[in-house]
Amino acid sequence: MRRAGAHSPQPGGAGNLADILERVLDKGVVIAGDIKINLLDIELLTIKLRLLIVSVDTAREMGIDWWEHDPTLSSRAVRPAPSPDLARAEELAAENARLLAELQSLNARLKEPDAL
């Protein structure tokens, strides 16, 4: 989609930066690469890099809108409620602390001379 008044580069000449940027944002560019670190034929680390450069409108047309739902990037994003697993983990941690205290109390009573 060309803007009114925008000119196309001369044949055989280099396009100006604005034309190149407009084309990149309108059509998009994908850059992909993998980095692998091996030591003695043992893979230690693999990093997969994927970079998509497009305008916000083009991204939305492609169905990409994660920045609108990320609470760290958008004030309109809904922060997720704590998961039930987290609440259960907190309950288990409290129960473990209570049981540990009870076990320590029983061990202390066993060590007392009157306990026998």
Side-chain angles (χ1 to χ4, degrees), residues 16-78:
N16 66 24
L17 183 60
D19 287 335
I20 294 170
L21 184 60
E22 181 179 352
R23 284 187 193 157
V24 166
L25 293 177
D26 187 41
K27 302 292 182 189
V29 173
V30 174
I31 300 170
D34 296 338
I35 299 170
K36 291 186 179 187
I37 299 175
N38 294 334
L39 178 65
L40 301 173
D41 293 329
I42 299 171
E43 189 173 315
L44 298 177
L45 177 68
T46 299
I47 300 173
K48 294 183 178 266
L49 301 171
R50 306 294 182 260
L51 176 64
L52 172 65
I53 301 174
V54 295
S55 68
V56 170
D57 293 332
T58 304
R60 283 191 182 122
E61 288 174 12
M62 297 169 70
I64 302 170
D65 62 354
W66 54 264
W67 62 88
E68 293 177 350
H69 308 289
D70 188 334
T72 59
L73 299 175
S74 173
S75 60
R76 293 181 289 150
V78 177

